[in-house]
Amino acid sequence: MASIEDLQRKVSELEAKLAAVQGNAGPVRQKIDVMSSEVVDSNPYSRLMALKRMGIVDNYEKIRELSVAVVGVGGVGSVTAEMLTRCGIGKLILYDYDKVELANMNRLFFQPHQAGLSKVDAAAATLQSINPDVTIEAHNYNITTMDNFQKFCDSISKGSLSGGPVDLVLSCVDNFEARMAINTACNELNQRWFESGVSENAVSGHIQFIVPGETACFACAPPLVVASKIDEKTLKREGVCAASLPTTMGIVAGFLVQNTLKFLLGFGNVSHYLGYSALTDFFPTMGLKPNPQCEDSYCRTRQTEVKARPAIVEVATEVTEDEKPIHEENQWGISLVDENSPEEETPNLNLVDGVQVAYSIPVDNSTPESSTGGAVAASELSLEELMQQMKSM
Amino acid sequence: MASIEDLQRKVSELEAKLAAVQGNAGPVRQKIDVMSSEVVDSNPYSRLMALKRMGIVDNYEKIRELSVAVVGVGGVGSVTAEMLTRCGIGKLILYDYDKVELANMNRLFFQPHQAGLSKVDAAAATLQSINPDVTIEAHNYNITTMDNFQKFCDSISKGSLSGGPVDLVLSCVDNFEARMAINTACNELNQRWFESGVSENAVSGHIQFIVPGETACFACAPPLVVASKIDEKTLKREGVCAASLPTTMGIVAGFLVQNTLKFLLGFGNVSHYLGYSALTDFFPTMGLKPNPQCEDSYCRTRQTEVKARPAIVEVATEVTEDEKPIHEENQWGISLVDENSPEEETPNLNLVDGVQVAYSIPVDNSTPESSTGGAVAASELSLEELMQQMKSM
């Protein structure tokens, strides 16, 4: 016969199983009006508010007023959304048009019982039960079609809790077209965003912070890859099932959200580019200036606006030579390593050791075309060809 | 106290509820006998097996034979266990004695509906539903008590799928006593393990690979912290609620499991020490040699055994001077940066910039004591004092 201890153990196991299976069906926690620092087991914000007491963040509660758009709710995007939800972000806007499959189970977040559900709906339900204080908006469509692109632009330009633009867009998509769509939208809307990516062989990844006109946009410079002693060409074959790991994707999501928090809450230094090579635990960082010949006309417009900004040095009464406030409006502490003049014809990538461009766009200045887009650098590769090359990224 | 009848009724109620809810929730996935590379949406292993086709891992299926013990199922340990589960590890052994609280909701993994459940039971249930192919064993006790310590040692020394020692122990605990207990057990059992930790201010963390006799154990050298321009003394105050972030903890878990995979499946280079400073995105790596005067007698025994190993140089017919096979049994590619002779009295930490020891253990050679433990370096700090200092780590 079973002992009391055995039975108590059985009860505890069954309760845990039931809770796991019930998922969203069980009682979730109530909404909380004001973030509290009170150190009690029932306060889901005590360990976040402790960042104030630790001297890391001045005003953690500010996070409740902020809105972030997460485009792509796959291996990186779902974990990104979960981290922001647990941090108590004010509003999350999710975009995806894919369904959960068992083939996604080698990444964090989705569970087998969600197979067949739309990723945004499944994610929104889980996230809302994790933190009912977050406003979650789910968009179940492909942002790259003409109609949806306009809906996407509208939703990020009016998506904040007060009806204004979101505070940040995070790209967690897995293909070139979607990245280009986000880039186009953010240049036009003058919207700051982070690009992220994981290589097809699952052992490298990166995040990149893009401030229109101030840093290289996605069209200014070819995407970077962290070299891992593997011929990148072997990674771009068509129809090949990409490898993925929950580790690499979780780390890239962690870097993305950590830098998002640093940017939104104003602590530490935001990395402009942070790479990760899993095989050697190598983490290159760098800065990238925008390309004056960028094919995106809004990027060039933003560059002109940035150049026209009145520098603080003009109104300051005393500035020492050592303290040139070149990026005086650069509140997030990025330092651009490229010291070349902005009049240069091609972007100087200044790549650190171990980082390569994923592909090159040769610039042909010999036969300037009378294109409608202004000074667009002619590319030897058509957009179609580039897309072909990038489709598996 | 509940009677046997009450408990039996409770068990049957819970079983009925579970059956009812499981029915509604849709079938969780069935067990899979053999890992397949087939690229279909229903295959949860396709993206992992693709690591073979990508040339990263030779024999991914081997993971199903391997066993890992995860000690501490909190912010780092729960994500560590989830990553290993999704990677298809053969067996996971979990240890914790804590309950899930709403105050844990600012980290990944646990959800509000699990509040009140034991962490190991709640984790085991969720993990099992994510991947029914993994054998999961849950130990709901504190490993630092005398009785439990012996149970802990037995479970890791006989915990593999074939009844032998586990392949790796991962320390995801949050206090000094538990780390010392794991260190003591692993030195005695000659068991390789990884230590991990996150600072109280939530913005730095580290992992450290410990191979008894070959690398510094937890007692050889004081724990390292990644300096973040914050006075570490402010972080050790008693009774202060530690800050934590899902980002930092997810990243540390990612580093831990990524290096675990590299070690278990034999790809890339396993980092001996990898630090993370979130404020500056700084990632120090280094190697640490064992301390010949380590207070742990089993550590000194393992050091003696390592020194006594026949070097390949003695049997090889031709070895060039440039290729000293000092660590010929070092299969995981660690390079120790410390080039000092092993006869040195104190461990040479060779710390890289930005890394400090969390506290120092002064070595006093002037008054050798007739202690029972052999050549134990006398410490000016008592173990009690050290524990006091470390209790909040």
Side-chain angles (χ1 to χ4, degrees), chain A residues 286-301:
Chain A
M286 72 186 87
L288 291 170
K289 288 180 91 168
N291 178 3
Q293 288 201 318
C294 180
E295 295 199 16
D296 186 302
S297 68
Y298 277 106
C299 175
R300 298 196 306 278
T301 303

Side-chain angles (χ1 to χ4, degrees), chain B residues 323-372:
Chain B
E323 296 169 5
K324 287 191 230 169
I326 291 170
H327 298 284
E328 72 288 345
E329 295 194 19
N330 180 342
Q331 305 149 328
W332 43 90
I334 288 175
S335 79
L336 298 180
V337 298
D338 185 341
E339 295 296 330
N340 294 312
S341 103
E343 276 69 45
E344 255 196 1
E345 291 300 304
T346 55
N348 184 328
L349 293 175
N350 261 2
L351 298 184
V352 299
D353 281 351
V355 173
Q356 309 169 340
V357 292
Y359 64 89
S360 58
I361 310 176
V363 176
D364 181 1
N365 292 320
S366 58
T367 53
E369 290 168 63
S370 59
S371 75
T372 53

Side-chain angles (χ1 to χ4, degrees), chain A residues 5 8 108 138 144 163 171 173 183 224 233 235 248 265 267 320 342:
Chain A
E5 287 72 31
Q8 277 170 334
L108 298 178
T144 67
S171 167
V173 298
N183 191 63
L224 304 175
K233 287 189 181 58
L235 305 182
T248 308
L265 300 175
F267 65 98
T320 69

Side-chain angles (χ1 to χ4, degrees), chain A residues 36-37 39 45-57 60, chain B residues 200-201 240-244:
Chain A
S36 151
S37 301
V39 182
Y45 296 122
S46 58
R47 307 306 181 91
L48 295 166
M49 293 293 276
L51 289 164
K52 294 171 69 177
R53 204 169 37 234
M54 294 284 170
I56 303 297
V57 180
Y60 191 86
Chain B
E200 257 201 351
N201 66 3
V240 169
C241 166
S244 58

Side-chain angles (χ1 to χ4, degrees), chain A residues 59-109:
Chain A
N59 185 13
Y60 191 86
E61 307 93 302
K62 188 189 166 206
I63 200 164
R64 300 194 93 169
E65 299 160 16
L66 304 175
S67 305
V68 174
V70 177
V71 191
V73 186
V76 173
S78 62
V79 181
T80 294
E82 182 175 351
M83 286 174 171
L84 286 168
T85 296
R86 291 183 182 270
C87 284
I89 192 79
K91 183 174 172 184
L92 261 188
I93 312 182
L94 308 177
Y95 305 82
D96 209 308
Y97 62 106
D98 216 358
K99 279 190 155 57
V100 179
E101 307 285 1
L102 284 184
N104 306 142
M105 293 306 134
N106 68 320
R107 287 91 103 176
L108 298 178
F109 192 76

Side-chain angles (χ1 to χ4, degrees), chain B residues 82-378:
Chain B
E82 181 175 352
M83 287 176 170
L84 287 167
T85 296
R86 291 183 182 269
C87 284
I89 192 80
K91 183 174 173 185
L92 261 188
I93 312 182
L94 309 177
Y95 304 83
D96 209 308
Y97 62 105
D98 216 358
K99 279 192 157 56
V100 180
E101 306 287 0
L102 284 184
N104 306 141
M105 293 306 133
N106 68 319
R107 287 92 103 175
L108 298 178
F109 194 76
F110 290 115
Q111 299 196 10
H113 63 82
Q114 296 172 308
L117 300 174
S118 92
K119 282 186 179 173
V120 286
D121 289 336
T126 302
L127 297 171
Q128 201 70 88
S129 84
I130 290 172
N131 191 344
D133 299 330
V134 179
T135 301
I136 298 174
E137 193 179 291
H139 294 259
N140 193 3
Y141 54 71
N142 176 355
I143 64 162
T144 66
T145 68
M146 193 79 85
D147 281 0
N148 291 335
F149 180 74
Q150 200 48 55
K151 278 160 72 182
F152 171 64
C153 290
D154 289 349
S155 64
I156 63 175
S157 61
K158 294 169 190 155
S160 84
L161 286 168
S162 57
V166 297
D167 296 285
L168 202 59
V169 172
L170 304 180
S171 166
C172 304
V173 298
D174 63 355
N175 65 84
F176 180 74
E177 283 163 283
R179 285 187 176 90
M180 280 303 271
I182 297 166
N183 189 64
T184 302
C186 290
N187 276 333
E188 178 165 349
L189 299 169
N190 206 3
Q191 170 68 55
R192 293 157 184 167
W193 64 292
F194 272 95
E195 134 77 358
S196 71
V198 171
S199 67
E200 257 201 351
N201 66 3
V203 289
S204 61
H206 72 274
I207 62 165
Q208 184 173 344
F209 187 33
I210 298 176
V211 182
E214 287 192 43
T215 68
C217 84
F218 190 72
C220 280
L224 303 175
V225 296
V226 178
S228 47
K229 290 182 189 162
I230 290 162
D231 182 359
E232 291 299 325
K233 287 190 181 58
T234 65
L235 306 183
K236 308 291 178 194
R237 287 168 303 176
E238 201 172 349
V240 169
C241 166
S244 58
L245 282 166
T247 45
T248 308
M249 289 185 151
I251 290 164
V252 169
F255 288 169
L256 187 61
V257 178
Q258 196 84 286
N259 279 281
T260 292
L261 293 174
K262 290 193 282 182
F263 168 69
L264 294 177
L265 299 174
F267 66 99
N269 301 316
V270 177
S271 285
H272 181 202
Y273 176 95
L274 173 59
Y276 168 49
S277 178
L279 297 182
T280 52
D281 283 333
F282 170 60
F283 303 89
T285 56
M286 72 186 87
L288 292 170
K289 288 181 92 168
N291 178 3
Q293 289 201 317
C294 180
E295 293 199 17
D296 185 302
S297 68
Y298 278 106
C299 174
R300 299 194 308 277
T301 304
R302 299 301 162 225
Q303 292 182 49
T304 308
E305 289 167 3
V306 168
K307 278 186 207 162
R309 274 185 201 157
I312 282 175
V313 66
E314 294 172 357
V315 291
T317 53
E318 196 177 355
V319 175
T320 71
E321 282 200 16
D322 290 344
E323 296 169 5
K324 287 191 230 169
I326 291 170
H327 298 284
E328 72 288 345
E329 295 194 19
N330 180 342
Q331 305 149 328
W332 43 90
I334 288 175
S335 79
L336 298 180
V337 298
D338 185 341
E339 295 296 330
N340 294 312
S341 103
E343 276 69 45
E344 255 196 1
E345 291 300 304
T346 55
N348 184 328
L349 293 175
N350 261 2
L351 298 184
V352 299
D353 281 351
V355 173
Q356 309 169 340
V357 292
Y359 64 89
S360 58
I361 310 176
V363 176
D364 181 1
N365 292 320
S366 58
T367 53
E369 290 168 63
S370 59
S371 75
T372 53
V376 175

